[in-house]
Amino acid sequence: KDMVNWTDHGSPLSYQSFSWATGKAWAPHCVERDGKYYFYVPVSNAIGVAVADSPIGPFEDAIGRPLVSDYRFIDPSVFVDDDDQAYLYFGNPNLWHVTLEQNMTSYSGQVEQVPMTAESFGQRNGDAERATLYEEGPWFFKRNGLYYMMFAMGPLPERIGYSTAPGPLGPFTYQGVIMESEPGHAFTNHAGVVDFKGRS
């Protein structure tokens, strides 16, 4: 309740909670909607979704199969807009998105790649596979009517950068670095923002 004192409730979920998963767990994201908690977990070259009535679990596989499949679909970030529409963002070395259904366990339309341009995510030099500074670890949120995409910036060791957009699907405009890669910081990185008692 004060962001200082914490209680350890143990692990709320394991890759073994997904009958189809064999490991390779990466960074997840949990979001609340309509009294349920949805845990999006990249495992076994796919993203699974688990559900619980409490943020500390127990979580169970919501659909018994991957929500989306392919190694590039790591590091999910889920955002529910003011109009109640939910979106899922993910990916390394490119950024992808899909529109979630109201049930949060299925999606409509196709998985689409966000255009990876220097204007959107900054220019990287010398890497044909990664033309922009975007690497991984997207985190999407909205403040004062503006949409923000934070992300881990390459090359390694990673920095944290951000882009903004007028809507949830872009177009994005690169804005700069939030955190530099100073000695002692993480080799890889993944940012997140929450609002709490009037501060972020």
Side-chain angles (χ1 to χ4, degrees):
K1 295 180 179 180
D2 58 8
M3 295 295 250
V4 175
N5 298 288
W6 298 83
T7 300
D8 183 358
H9 294 282
S11 176
L13 184 66
S14 165
Y15 78 86
Q16 295 170 329
S17 302
F18 299 96
S19 61
W20 47 269
T22 57
K24 296 183 180 179
W26 300 85
H29 187 186
C30 188
V31 62
E32 184 273 337
R33 187 174 194 179
D34 299 329
K36 295 282 188 181
Y37 294 84
Y38 297 91
F39 215 149
Y40 297 84
V41 186
V43 289
S44 307
N45 302 339
I47 293 178
V49 56
V51 63
D53 293 325
S54 164
I56 61 174
F59 283 87
E60 295 181 355
D61 187 351
I63 57 177
R65 58 178 171 75
L67 177 62
V68 290
S69 299
D70 196 312
Y71 172 77
R72 63 192 176 204
F73 298 157
I74 68 169
D75 297 349
S77 178
V78 181
F79 170 75
V80 181
D81 208 346
D82 297 335
D83 63 0
D84 211 34
Q85 179 61 62
Y87 302 89
L88 174 65
Y89 308 86
F90 42 81
N92 174 333
N94 296 306
L95 179 61
W96 304 78
H97 66 80
V98 70
T99 302
L100 292 173
E101 296 281 10
Q102 183 74 26
N103 61 17
M104 301 294 280
T105 60
S106 62
Y107 61 87
S108 60
Q110 300 295 317
V111 174
E112 297 184 19
Q113 182 178 331
V114 175
M116 304 305 290
T117 66
E119 181 182 24
S120 295
F121 299 103
Q123 179 69 49
R124 187 188 311 202
N125 298 318
D127 191 333
E129 185 182 17
R130 293 169 168 84
T132 74
L133 296 173
Y134 175 89
E135 183 84 18
E136 58 189 349
W139 183 278
F140 194 76
F141 65 103
K142 183 180 183 180
R143 176 182 293 153
N144 297 329
L146 190 61
Y147 296 82
Y148 291 78
M149 177 65 76
M150 295 173 64
F151 54 92
M153 300 170 61
L156 299 171
E158 293 174 344
R159 299 174 290 167
I160 297 295
Y162 79 107
S163 300
T164 57
L169 302 181
F172 291 97
T173 302
Y174 176 63
Q175 299 293 348
V177 178
I178 294 173
M179 187 178 76
E180 289 287 354
S181 177
E182 299 295 335
H185 287 186
F187 180 65
T188 60
N189 233 319
H190 197 136
V193 173
V194 294
D195 293 325
F196 183 75
K197 295 186 176 180
R199 300 187 67 181
S200 297

